[in-house]
Amino acid sequence: MPWNKVVDRAMSHWMEATGPHSDVVLSTRIRLARNLEGFPFPHMLSEGQAAEVIRKVEAGVREIDKIQVPGVVSPVELYRLAEIPPLARQVLVEKHLISPPLAQDARGRAVAISANEAVSIMVNEEDHIRIQVLSSGLDLENTWTLASRVDDALEEKLTYAFHNVRGYLTACPTNLGTGLRASVMVHLPALVITGQAGRLFNTLGQFGLAVRGYFGEGTDAQGNIYQISNQVTLGRSEEDIISNLNGVAQQVIEHERKARDHLKRQMRAQIEDRVGRAYGILTGAHILSSEEAMRLLSDVRLGVDLGLIPRVPVKVLNELLVAIRPAFLQKTAGKDLGPFERDVRRASLVRQRLAA
Amino acid sequence: MLCQNCGQRPATVHIVKQVNNHKEEYHLCETCAREQGQFSMELPNFSLQQLLASMLEEGPWGPMPGSLQAPAETRCPSCGLTFRQFKERGFFGCGQCYTTFEGELLPLLRRMQGSDRHVGKAPRRTGGRLRVRRDLEQLRQQLQRAIAAEEYEKAAELRDRIRVLEQRLEAGGEGGAVE
Ligand SMILES: [Zn+2]
Ligand SMILES: [Zn+2]
């Protein structure tokens, strides 16, 4: 598949909203950091060495298709980022397939992406290899299993930098050991509205977890979407890390649902008003900033989850999270757009998708 | 809550870290979080520079006890990195650096990660011996429990499995390149 195809569509597998607890958890992500033995870490690589690392990983990636790793939708194709124009690279960032640093400096870097975009493997980011698996809803165990299988398949062809006592060696010691970062992306409008979010985030720290606003480009955690992930990667097994995060995520889900319930029972008129207004603006507006769109989409999503707006499928809301981003809008338009033109196009896109 | 770095914008990035009994909290605005390290879609790395800074010298959140000293001239024989460069960049140069700077690194790991020993997955091919050893450890524990519970049939079965693994280790493990 040419990279155009990946860049052209807004929808990835994880946005289908088919996973468990999709009313609160948008997606689950597992990331594994790995490095090759015998090469310096990426920031110390010469141009030639970087190219060689890409070639080696490419051979490993072919192995994934060859042995037909269960759960991976083939083919997994590798793209050298220097061959992809900057705007298209930015779209890959907006789709969460690559990280911003990888898009910014494309030299000596690559990414392999599976056909359904659930698996992406970044090459020469902070580490030689970063395996990332994304899935819908809260699904940590299966996502981990898939990531581990991809890891095993790559290892058929590659020799990892591994130390018997320290584990997988990574460029930064914050990833040492398992190289595992597990995270869940959660939509917590009711906890934010009821003023409980801050307190919850502080207590999550006691479980060795970190929270951040996910789409927060400005000064706000846009759209009430947060990412919760493990901090510690050493001294605990992958299964421990995952079950810890899973347990905490379950509790967060429970709190959010309770808060939603409370809103529906105790503040029904206010919530109906808020949700109805959001829906009204999104279906009627002709100029929409990214920030306003994120805020209103969050309200509409809450309305859908509470059964106050039956019309909008959640996967459309997920798709819009990507489709309204600046690079994606410009890619769809086929040209650079100023902020005002983007706001106009964004409004038109949202009207269309909500009406469909 | 305001950003604890600039004190102007609202804090939207919250990092809370609990290592042993020591709790560290950082509340930053997106702008400061971005400036203070790579702002990637991965969460944790951005805090590394502060983390290192606060552990190694006087960081933005006050001095930390037990400042670590490394001879400035020690270089990793494999990649040429010095510990000073590591502190500046937050990245090691190669896998060998972990051995080169082990003395400086261990206290750092214990504070940052709460541990300095990996307990988890090992590579299938090159980590074969480690895997076998870990399996052995587990089987021996199971054997003890079986004997304590007087489950002799189960114990016999476990003993056979242990024997097989021990023989495999003596024969050189499965591809055991590491060690
Ligand atoms: Zn700030
Ligand atoms: Zn080195």
Side-chain angles (χ1 to χ4, degrees), chain A residues 1 51 59 81 86 102 112 116 165 172 197 212 257 262 267 306 323-324 330:
Chain A
M1 180 172 16
L81 283 165
L102 209 70
N116 67 348
V165 181
C172 176
R212 65 168 304 150
R257 283 187 186 145
H262 171 83
M267 301 168 65
L306 289 177
I324 63 168
Q330 299 184 76

PDB file of all heavy atoms in Angstrom, chain A residues 1 51 59 81 86 102 112 116 165 172 197 212 257 262 267 306 323-324 330:
ATOM      1  N   MET A   1       0.846  -1.198   0.000  1.00  0.00           N
ATOM      2  CA  MET A   1       0.000   0.000   0.000  1.00  0.00           C
ATOM      3  C   MET A   1       0.885   1.254   0.000  1.00  0.00           C
ATOM      4  O   MET A   1       1.768   1.372   0.827  1.00  0.00           O
ATOM      5  CB  MET A   1      -0.876  -0.042   1.266  1.00  0.00           C
ATOM      6  CG  MET A   1      -1.783   1.138   1.355  1.00  0.00           C
ATOM      7  SD  MET A   1      -3.011   1.040   2.701  1.00  0.00           S
ATOM      8  CE  MET A   1      -2.409  -0.243   3.768  1.00  0.00           C
ATOM      9  N   ALA A  51      20.837   4.096   8.061  1.00  0.00           N
ATOM     10  CA  ALA A  51      20.268   3.385   6.912  1.00  0.00           C
ATOM     11  C   ALA A  51      20.364   1.874   7.128  1.00  0.00           C
ATOM     12  O   ALA A  51      19.457   1.129   6.760  1.00  0.00           O
ATOM     13  CB  ALA A  51      20.982   3.796   5.631  1.00  0.00           C
ATOM     14  N   ALA A  59      14.001  -6.137   7.313  1.00  0.00           N
ATOM     15  CA  ALA A  59      14.045  -7.604   7.227  1.00  0.00           C
ATOM     16  C   ALA A  59      13.205  -8.225   8.346  1.00  0.00           C
ATOM     17  O   ALA A  59      12.497  -9.204   8.128  1.00  0.00           O
ATOM     18  CB  ALA A  59      15.487  -8.091   7.317  1.00  0.00           C
ATOM     19  N   LEU A  81      10.767   7.808   6.021  1.00  0.00           N
ATOM     20  CA  LEU A  81      10.018   9.060   6.218  1.00  0.00           C
ATOM     21  C   LEU A  81      10.500  10.192   5.323  1.00  0.00           C
ATOM     22  O   LEU A  81       9.739  11.097   4.996  1.00  0.00           O
ATOM     23  CB  LEU A  81      10.055   9.474   7.689  1.00  0.00           C
ATOM     24  CG  LEU A  81       9.092   8.633   8.523  1.00  0.00           C
ATOM     25  CD1 LEU A  81       9.369   8.772   9.997  1.00  0.00           C
ATOM     26  CD2 LEU A  81       7.643   9.009   8.241  1.00  0.00           C
ATOM     27  N   PRO A  86       6.406  16.645   4.286  1.00  0.00           N
ATOM     28  CA  PRO A  86       6.172  17.058   5.674  1.00  0.00           C
ATOM     29  C   PRO A  86       4.694  17.067   6.081  1.00  0.00           C
ATOM     30  O   PRO A  86       4.358  16.592   7.172  1.00  0.00           O
ATOM     31  CB  PRO A  86       6.747  18.477   5.722  1.00  0.00           C
ATOM     32  CG  PRO A  86       7.783  18.489   4.656  1.00  0.00           C
ATOM     33  CD  PRO A  86       7.310  17.563   3.582  1.00  0.00           C
ATOM     34  N   LEU A 102       9.624  12.238  15.172  1.00  0.00           N
ATOM     35  CA  LEU A 102       9.890  11.450  13.972  1.00  0.00           C
ATOM     36  C   LEU A 102       9.454  12.211  12.721  1.00  0.00           C
ATOM     37  O   LEU A 102      10.069  12.101  11.661  1.00  0.00           O
ATOM     38  CB  LEU A 102       9.156  10.109  14.051  1.00  0.00           C
ATOM     39  CG  LEU A 102       9.806   8.944  13.314  1.00  0.00           C
ATOM     40  CD1 LEU A 102      11.078   8.528  14.001  1.00  0.00           C
ATOM     41  CD2 LEU A 102       8.867   7.759  13.210  1.00  0.00           C
ATOM     42  N   ALA A 112       6.992   1.414  10.009  1.00  0.00           N
ATOM     43  CA  ALA A 112       6.282   0.310   9.374  1.00  0.00           C
ATOM     44  C   ALA A 112       4.872   0.305   9.954  1.00  0.00           C
ATOM     45  O   ALA A 112       4.693   0.476  11.157  1.00  0.00           O
ATOM     46  CB  ALA A 112       6.977  -1.011   9.664  1.00  0.00           C
ATOM     47  N   ASN A 116      -4.228  -2.544   8.878  1.00  0.00           N
ATOM     48  CA  ASN A 116      -5.355  -1.905   9.575  1.00  0.00           C
ATOM     49  C   ASN A 116      -4.897  -0.791  10.517  1.00  0.00           C
ATOM     50  O   ASN A 116      -5.693  -0.264  11.294  1.00  0.00           O
ATOM     51  CB  ASN A 116      -6.168  -2.948  10.350  1.00  0.00           C
ATOM     52  CG  ASN A 116      -5.379  -3.541  11.502  1.00  0.00           C
ATOM     53  OD1 ASN A 116      -4.165  -3.348  11.600  1.00  0.00           O
ATOM     54  ND2 ASN A 116      -6.059  -4.252  12.376  1.00  0.00           N
ATOM     55  N   VAL A 165      20.724  -8.472  33.713  1.00  0.00           N
ATOM     56  CA  VAL A 165      20.205  -7.889  34.955  1.00  0.00           C
ATOM     57  C   VAL A 165      19.341  -6.658  34.684  1.00  0.00           C
ATOM     58  O   VAL A 165      18.330  -6.431  35.332  1.00  0.00           O
ATOM     59  CB  VAL A 165      21.364  -7.528  35.905  1.00  0.00           C
ATOM     60  CG1 VAL A 165      20.836  -6.945  37.213  1.00  0.00           C
ATOM     61  CG2 VAL A 165      22.215  -8.765  36.193  1.00  0.00           C
ATOM     62  N   CYS A 172      17.226   5.992  26.871  1.00  0.00           N
ATOM     63  CA  CYS A 172      16.960   6.731  28.092  1.00  0.00           C
ATOM     64  C   CYS A 172      16.631   5.753  29.215  1.00  0.00           C
ATOM     65  O   CYS A 172      15.819   4.851  29.028  1.00  0.00           O
ATOM     66  CB  CYS A 172      15.780   7.661  27.843  1.00  0.00           C
ATOM     67  SG  CYS A 172      15.280   8.536  29.298  1.00  0.00           S
ATOM     68  N   ALA A 197     -11.829  15.571  38.749  1.00  0.00           N
ATOM     69  CA  ALA A 197     -10.731  15.049  37.932  1.00  0.00           C
ATOM     70  C   ALA A 197      -9.359  15.267  38.586  1.00  0.00           C
ATOM     71  O   ALA A 197      -8.554  14.348  38.668  1.00  0.00           O
ATOM     72  CB  ALA A 197     -10.771  15.666  36.543  1.00  0.00           C
ATOM     73  N   ARG A 212      -1.920  12.782  31.637  1.00  0.00           N
ATOM     74  CA  ARG A 212      -1.737  14.048  30.933  1.00  0.00           C
ATOM     75  C   ARG A 212      -2.904  14.298  29.997  1.00  0.00           C
ATOM     76  O   ARG A 212      -3.572  13.364  29.570  1.00  0.00           O
ATOM     77  CB  ARG A 212      -0.448  14.034  30.141  1.00  0.00           C
ATOM     78  CG  ARG A 212      -0.478  13.007  29.017  1.00  0.00           C
ATOM     79  CD  ARG A 212       0.667  13.216  28.085  1.00  0.00           C
ATOM     80  NE  ARG A 212       0.632  14.564  27.592  1.00  0.00           N
ATOM     81  CZ  ARG A 212       1.706  15.251  27.242  1.00  0.00           C
ATOM     82  NH1 ARG A 212       2.878  14.707  27.362  1.00  0.00           N
ATOM     83  NH2 ARG A 212       1.588  16.457  26.787  1.00  0.00           N
ATOM     84  N   ARG A 257     -18.460   6.821  35.294  1.00  0.00           N
ATOM     85  CA  ARG A 257     -19.853   6.411  35.070  1.00  0.00           C
ATOM     86  C   ARG A 257     -20.754   6.898  36.202  1.00  0.00           C
ATOM     87  O   ARG A 257     -21.872   7.341  35.966  1.00  0.00           O
ATOM     88  CB  ARG A 257     -19.942   4.890  34.953  1.00  0.00           C
ATOM     89  CG  ARG A 257     -19.468   4.401  33.601  1.00  0.00           C
ATOM     90  CD  ARG A 257     -19.733   2.911  33.438  1.00  0.00           C
ATOM     91  NE  ARG A 257     -19.156   2.415  32.207  1.00  0.00           N
ATOM     92  CZ  ARG A 257     -18.621   1.205  32.079  1.00  0.00           C
ATOM     93  NH1 ARG A 257     -18.593   0.388  33.116  1.00  0.00           N
ATOM     94  NH2 ARG A 257     -18.126   0.810  30.917  1.00  0.00           N
ATOM     95  N   HIS A 262     -24.807  10.682  38.065  1.00  0.00           N
ATOM     96  CA  HIS A 262     -25.169  11.797  38.932  1.00  0.00           C
ATOM     97  C   HIS A 262     -25.662  12.983  38.097  1.00  0.00           C
ATOM     98  O   HIS A 262     -26.694  13.583  38.410  1.00  0.00           O
ATOM     99  CB  HIS A 262     -23.949  12.188  39.774  1.00  0.00           C
ATOM    100  CG  HIS A 262     -24.120  13.451  40.545  1.00  0.00           C
ATOM    101  ND1 HIS A 262     -24.757  13.499  41.760  1.00  0.00           N
ATOM    102  CD2 HIS A 262     -23.765  14.725  40.253  1.00  0.00           C
ATOM    103  CE1 HIS A 262     -24.784  14.755  42.184  1.00  0.00           C
ATOM    104  NE2 HIS A 262     -24.186  15.513  41.296  1.00  0.00           N
ATOM    105  N   MET A 267     -28.813  16.683  37.568  1.00  0.00           N
ATOM    106  CA  MET A 267     -28.685  17.916  36.781  1.00  0.00           C
ATOM    107  C   MET A 267     -29.182  17.703  35.362  1.00  0.00           C
ATOM    108  O   MET A 267     -28.590  18.185  34.413  1.00  0.00           O
ATOM    109  CB  MET A 267     -27.208  18.353  36.746  1.00  0.00           C
ATOM    110  CG  MET A 267     -26.593  18.610  38.106  1.00  0.00           C
ATOM    111  SD  MET A 267     -24.791  18.780  37.984  1.00  0.00           S
ATOM    112  CE  MET A 267     -24.664  20.274  36.991  1.00  0.00           C
ATOM    113  N   LEU A 306     -24.929   9.178  27.236  1.00  0.00           N
ATOM    114  CA  LEU A 306     -26.027   9.237  28.204  1.00  0.00           C
ATOM    115  C   LEU A 306     -27.378   8.967  27.557  1.00  0.00           C
ATOM    116  O   LEU A 306     -28.407   9.002  28.212  1.00  0.00           O
ATOM    117  CB  LEU A 306     -26.060  10.618  28.875  1.00  0.00           C
ATOM    118  CG  LEU A 306     -24.932  10.922  29.858  1.00  0.00           C
ATOM    119  CD1 LEU A 306     -25.039  12.336  30.400  1.00  0.00           C
ATOM    120  CD2 LEU A 306     -24.930   9.928  31.010  1.00  0.00           C
ATOM    121  N   ALA A 323      -9.887  13.884  11.921  1.00  0.00           N
ATOM    122  CA  ALA A 323     -10.202  14.599  10.677  1.00  0.00           C
ATOM    123  C   ALA A 323     -10.222  16.118  10.821  1.00  0.00           C
ATOM    124  O   ALA A 323     -10.024  16.833   9.843  1.00  0.00           O
ATOM    125  CB  ALA A 323     -11.540  14.100  10.131  1.00  0.00           C
ATOM    126  N   ILE A 324     -10.455  16.632  12.042  1.00  0.00           N
ATOM    127  CA  ILE A 324     -10.505  18.090  12.201  1.00  0.00           C
ATOM    128  C   ILE A 324      -9.141  18.707  12.526  1.00  0.00           C
ATOM    129  O   ILE A 324      -9.031  19.916  12.675  1.00  0.00           O
ATOM    130  CB  ILE A 324     -11.497  18.517  13.314  1.00  0.00           C
ATOM    131  CG1 ILE A 324     -11.051  17.990  14.677  1.00  0.00           C
ATOM    132  CG2 ILE A 324     -12.922  18.076  12.983  1.00  0.00           C
ATOM    133  CD1 ILE A 324     -11.824  18.608  15.850  1.00  0.00           C
ATOM    134  N   GLN A 330      -5.728  20.052   5.760  1.00  0.00           N
ATOM    135  CA  GLN A 330      -4.961  20.561   4.622  1.00  0.00           C
ATOM    136  C   GLN A 330      -4.691  19.461   3.607  1.00  0.00           C
ATOM    137  O   GLN A 330      -4.721  19.681   2.404  1.00  0.00           O
ATOM    138  CB  GLN A 330      -3.654  21.188   5.111  1.00  0.00           C
ATOM    139  CG  GLN A 330      -3.916  22.362   6.034  1.00  0.00           C
ATOM    140  CD  GLN A 330      -2.656  23.071   6.466  1.00  0.00           C
ATOM    141  OE1 GLN A 330      -2.060  23.815   5.700  1.00  0.00           O
ATOM    142  NE2 GLN A 330      -2.235  22.823   7.689  1.00  0.00           N
TER     143      GLN A 330
END
